[in-house]
Amino acid sequence: MIKKVTVVGYNSENAYFYIDDKTNHGFLIDPGFEADKLLKVVEENKWVIEAILITHGHFDHIGAIEEIREVLKCKVYAGEKAYLYLENPRYNLGYYYEKEIIISDYITLAEGEKVCLEANQDLYLKLMETPGHTADSVIYFNEKENIAFVGDTIFKGTHGRTDLPGSSEEAMQESLRKIFKLDKNMILYPGHSEETTVGEEI
Ligand SMILES: [Zn+2]
């Protein structure tokens, strides 16, 4: 199952839980703000969060990571270029908008690499590099369940900003073409805005 929890700080952001119904283990994608609220959801549902997955290193997607992993003792995964943002408060924009954030302890996944649940290897997410909004942007998708967590690469009806440090409109266009090759019915879960599908965005 997928549960969206909208969290609020400087702005509002969608954090997502991707949970295996059989084992109650799962992943948390992009915990941007309100660690307490997210931890309460985990506790109430008796979930075991094995890992936090980051779509890109902007402050509004990573701000609650340290507080959450201190409690849940989970791993943190990101794309290979994540160091550009996670370890640079001027690139992750925390320096300007909220608080200085530096995250240095995380595991990187390469293009096409999978992260499987330890409790159930059948549940996994696969990484696709989608630079444009940021140089480190990735999406996590599961082609069997036909779902993808797309961060700020795609919002319903539009794409993410490309005027920020490390952004590239050209790279964005190329990433969109890559995403548009996925199944038309794949449901996309953005970091802001409602869900959409590949077909709708094409
Ligand atoms: Zn962003």
Side-chain angles (χ1 to χ4, degrees), residues 19 30 37 65 72 91 149:
I19 306 294
D30 284 358
K37 184 175 173 177
I65 287 177
L72 302 181
Y91 260 54
F149 300 96

Side-chain angles (χ1 to χ4, degrees), residues 4-16 28-34 37-38 53-56 58-64 151-152 155 189-193:
K4 173 169 94 175
V5 179
T6 301
V7 289
V8 182
Y10 173 81
N11 54 353
S12 77
E13 186 262 342
N14 299 328
Y16 294 98
L28 168 58
I29 297 104
D30 284 358
F33 305 109
E34 295 193 278
K37 184 175 173 177
L38 294 168
L53 275 53
I54 307 170
T55 62
H56 66 295
H58 275 156
F59 75 105
D60 56 337
H61 292 249
I62 62 172
D152 290 359
F155 303 134
Y189 295 89
H192 312 272
S193 96

Side-chain angles (χ1 to χ4, degrees), residues 54 57 62 78 82-88 92 101-104 106:
I54 307 170
I62 62 172
Y83 68 94
L84 290 169
Y85 293 81
L86 296 182
E87 297 171 37
N88 184 345
N92 67 42
I101 304 168
I102 295 173
I103 294 171
S104 47
Y106 54 92

Side-chain angles (χ1 to χ4, degrees), residues 82-152:
Y83 68 94
L84 290 169
Y85 293 81
L86 296 182
E87 297 171 37
N88 184 345
R90 289 174 194 268
Y91 260 54
N92 67 42
L93 308 177
Y95 179 84
Y96 304 101
Y97 295 116
E98 261 232 335
K99 57 177 180 187
E100 190 165 295
I101 304 168
I102 295 173
I103 294 171
S104 47
D105 180 13
Y106 54 92
I107 303 160
T108 58
L109 294 167
E111 171 78 4
E113 208 173 333
K114 258 185 198 175
V115 52
C116 297
L117 267 192
E118 282 169 29
N120 178 6
Q121 301 277 313
D122 289 342
L123 192 134
Y124 66 87
L125 285 167
K126 209 186 263 184
L127 180 144
M128 178 193 281
E129 290 177 347
T130 56
H133 173 65
T134 59
D136 73 332
S137 285
V138 301
I139 69 167
Y140 297 98
F141 68 102
N142 181 311
E143 69 276 37
K144 279 196 272 176
E145 295 203 13
N146 231 4
I147 55 112
F149 300 96
V150 295
D152 290 359

Side-chain angles (χ1 to χ4, degrees), residues 21 33 36 39 46 49 59-60 64 79 81 94 103 134 170 185:
D21 298 318
F33 305 109
D36 290 351
L39 286 167
K46 298 189 169 58
I49 301 304
F59 75 105
D60 56 337
K81 301 232 168 65
I103 294 171
T134 59
E170 206 185 332
N185 296 317

